[in-house]
């Protein structure tokens, strides 16, 4: 049976991805959590105002905000092109 897994540092991202990660890593992780909580609060407000479609639309934003927050945190911790040695050395910093 063949092992097709990619090892750390084996594949590299392009410069566009690196540029996006450099910009988005400046955003604090709490901003994504705040955006998720705000979308839930706005959704409740729409529900109270009996605007059910808007409540569902805005309420569904919470999950993508939380996923973006997780991605942001992973980029801060490991980066997209971190090799095993760089990832291990950054943990001790």
């Amino acid at each position: 049976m063949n092992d097709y897994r990619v090892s750390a540092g084996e594949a590299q991202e392009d410069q566009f991805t690196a540029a996006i990660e450099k910009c988005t890593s400046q955003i604090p992780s709490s901003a994504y959590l705040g955006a998720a909580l705000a979308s839930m609060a706005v959704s409740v407000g729409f529900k109270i105002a009996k605007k059910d479609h808007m409540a569902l639309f805005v309420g569904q934003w919470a999950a993508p905000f939380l996923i973006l927050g997780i991605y942001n945190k992973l980029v801060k911790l490991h980066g997209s092109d971190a090799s095993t040695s760089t990832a291990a050395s950054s943990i001790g910093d």
Side-chain angles (χ1 to χ4, degrees):
M1 185 151 117
N2 294 331
D3 186 9
Y4 295 109
R5 290 178 284 190
V6 177
S7 301
E10 185 177 339
Q12 294 184 355
E13 293 290 343
D14 58 359
Q15 291 301 312
F16 182 70
T17 304
I20 290 173
E21 289 176 354
K22 185 173 178 97
C23 293
T24 58
S25 67
Q26 305 296 322
I27 301 171
S29 298
S30 60
Y32 293 103
L33 179 59
L37 292 174
S39 72
M40 288 186 254
V42 170
S43 176
V44 168
F46 279 132
K47 191 71 173 170
I48 290 170
K50 307 238 189 269
K51 297 185 182 216
D52 292 338
H53 292 291
M54 284 301 292
L56 287 172
F57 177 68
V58 174
Q60 290 177 348
W61 294 354
F65 284 135
L66 292 172
I67 291 169
L68 286 169
I70 291 170
Y71 177 77
N72 184 44
K73 188 60 124 178
L74 288 172
V75 166
K76 287 180 182 178
L77 291 176
H78 303 292
S80 62
D81 286 336
S83 64
T84 309
S85 61
T86 18
S89 66
S90 66
I91 293 172
D93 292 342

